[in-house]
């Protein structure tokens, strides 16, 4: 897709709107905006295991930021947003790590060993085009926000006000990220709707959440996440796909038509029925 000055100007305006709104209404402080004195050890380690798994995903931040920035470095609006996104995601990793130690579920030494193992592996871009990456991150950020909201429901009975508050903050950030990416996809749709639909079809056919293949013992972690219905294929199909499509002004019928137009078969697609 040819990127025109008009597209770039719209992305720059979109970033400025995002930045000023974040500065005025959404910035939070890791130490003072979470009631850490309320963090508590829970008898079931499932919640801690899920928190640690989400922290692990966030810890690939150097790869996410560097590689996506390289892909879009000539676009000030998108690149500046990506740098801002990296700052916010770094807070997510830190606040999850802080809860694990403050609650007594993990020691500092355990987390340092885990961090060393995580950072010994490298995440690579899912797609090599900016268009497909922004489509992917639109679905991924919506799903991540939903992950945090569902984890909050699971942890609600524990009475841990620190965990409850930090999950609210993380979900709010992820929702803001989703809206930027979604609005970016709409900018591209105004320029070439058919090409964007083609990209959406391809991304949905190959979609998976980031870094899962790199995280130690992921099959065990994934089983815990699924067992507690924090995130499953069914949740993606029912609670992620329809609202994201609606936000883009699309329907499943549009996707089916696009699949047919670009000769994409139904085999292997778990997202469009």
């Amino acid at each position: 897709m040819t990127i025109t000055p008009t597209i770039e100007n719209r992305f720059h305006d979109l970033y400025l709107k995002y930045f000023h709104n974040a500065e005025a209404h959404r910035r939070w402080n890791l130490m003072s905006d979470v009631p850490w004195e309320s963090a508590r050890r829970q008898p079931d380690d499932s919640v801690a295991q899920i928190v640690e798994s989400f922290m692990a995903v966030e810890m690939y931040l150097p790869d996410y930021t560097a590689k996506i920035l390289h892909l879009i470095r000539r676009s000030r609006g998108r690149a500046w947003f990506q740098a801002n996104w990296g700052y916010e995601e770094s807070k997510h990793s830190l606040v999850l790590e802080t809860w694990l130690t403050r609650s007594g579920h993990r020691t500092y030494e355990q987390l340092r060993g885990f961090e060393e193992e995580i950072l010994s592996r490298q995440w690579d871009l899912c797609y090599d085009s900016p268009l497909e990456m922004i489509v992917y991150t639109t679905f991924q950020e919506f799903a991540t926000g939903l992950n945090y909201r569902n984890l909050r429901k699971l942890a609600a009975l524990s009475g841990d006000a620190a965990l409850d508050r930090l999950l609210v903050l993380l979900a709010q950030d992820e929702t803001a990220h989703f809206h930027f990416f979604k609005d970016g996809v709409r900018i591209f749709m105004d320029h070439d709707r058919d090409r964007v639909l083609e990209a959406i079809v391809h991304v949905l056919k190959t979609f998976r959440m980031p870094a899962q293949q790199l995280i130690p013992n992921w099959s065990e972690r994934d089983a815990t996440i699924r067992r507690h219905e924090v995130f499953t294929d069914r949740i993606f199909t029912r609670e992620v796909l329809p609202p994201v499509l609606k936000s883009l002004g699309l329907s499943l019928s549009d996707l089916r038509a696009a699949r047919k137009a670009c000769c994409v078969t139904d085999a292997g697609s778990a997202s469009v029925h």
Side-chain angles (χ1 to χ4, degrees):
M1 180 181 291
T2 301
I3 307 301
T4 67
T6 299
I7 289 177
E8 292 296 5
N9 288 338
R10 290 183 66 185
F11 267 105
H12 187 254
D13 290 344
L14 183 62
Y15 168 67
L16 290 177
K17 178 181 177 182
Y18 173 92
F19 175 79
H20 291 306
N21 184 66
E23 292 287 294
H25 304 293
R26 193 171 46 79
R27 298 293 189 212
W28 51 273
N29 184 283
L30 186 147
M31 298 311 299
S32 62
D33 288 331
V34 177
W36 291 116
E37 68 281 0
S38 299
R40 61 183 62 184
R41 179 72 178 261
Q42 300 170 40
D44 183 356
D45 193 56
S46 294
V47 169
Q49 186 185 45
I50 296 172
V51 168
E52 184 182 65
S53 300
F54 289 169
M55 181 196 74
V57 173
E58 303 281 12
M59 286 176 66
Y60 286 97
L61 179 66
D63 297 329
Y64 302 148
T65 306
K67 295 183 179 183
I68 295 175
L69 272 173
H70 180 74
L71 194 66
I72 58 173
R73 64 172 300 278
R74 295 181 63 184
S75 170
R76 187 180 180 197
R78 286 176 287 161
W80 261 241
F81 169 80
Q82 202 66 42
N84 193 97
W85 176 91
Y87 159 71
E88 294 185 358
E89 293 292 342
S90 73
K91 290 168 64 179
H92 295 186
S93 177
L94 286 170
V95 79
L96 293 170
E97 177 181 340
T98 302
W99 180 81
L100 286 168
T101 56
R102 292 286 184 106
S103 66
H105 279 283
R106 302 290 186 271
T107 66
Y108 178 84
E109 291 73 22
Q110 285 174 324
L111 289 179
R112 291 293 74 77
F114 186 58
E115 174 187 336
E116 184 176 344
E117 187 172 8
I118 289 291
L119 296 180
S120 69
R121 309 174 186 188
Q122 188 171 149
W123 177 85
D124 291 316
L125 289 172
C126 312
Y127 308 96
D128 59 6
S129 80
L131 174 58
E132 289 177 333
M133 278 305 303
I134 196 172
V135 167
Y136 169 76
T137 48
T138 299
F139 285 94
Q140 178 259 313
E141 294 287 311
F142 188 96
T144 303
L146 183 61
N147 282 349
Y148 287 131
R149 291 191 294 274
N150 287 341
L151 178 56
R152 185 186 177 211
K153 293 176 185 177
L154 174 63
L157 295 178
S158 69
D160 189 323
L163 181 57
D164 184 79
R165 180 57 181 160
L166 74 86
L167 290 173
V168 168
L169 295 171
L170 298 193
Q172 289 175 348
D173 282 355
E174 299 294 354
T175 298
H177 299 167
F178 158 72
H179 281 295
F180 178 91
F181 289 123
K182 174 259 297 179
D183 290 340
V185 172
R186 294 191 70 120
I187 289 172
F188 283 129
M189 287 181 69
D190 290 342
H191 182 67
D192 190 339
R193 186 176 185 274
D194 291 341
R195 176 68 187 91
V196 173
L197 278 168
E198 181 183 338
I200 292 173
V201 168
H202 177 60
V203 167
L204 288 176
K205 185 180 179 182
T206 55
F207 183 88
R208 62 181 177 184
M209 294 294 278
Q212 294 178 350
Q213 76 279 11
L214 301 173
I215 296 171
N217 303 318
W218 180 255
S219 59
E220 177 185 341
R221 296 174 185 278
D222 185 51
T224 302
I225 291 168
R226 291 175 181 273
R227 183 172 71 254
H228 291 288
E229 295 195 337
V230 174
F231 191 74
T232 65
D233 294 340
R234 179 182 59 81
I235 288 173
F236 182 88
T237 300
R238 296 183 180 181
E239 300 180 39
V240 176
L241 181 60
V244 174
L245 290 179
K246 183 178 180 180
S247 74
L248 295 171
L250 298 172
S251 66
L252 287 174
S253 297
D254 293 319
L255 256 61
R256 294 189 188 101
R259 280 202 322 185
K260 184 176 181 180
C262 61
C263 301
V264 178
T265 66
D266 289 331
S269 175
S271 301
V272 182
H273 303 284

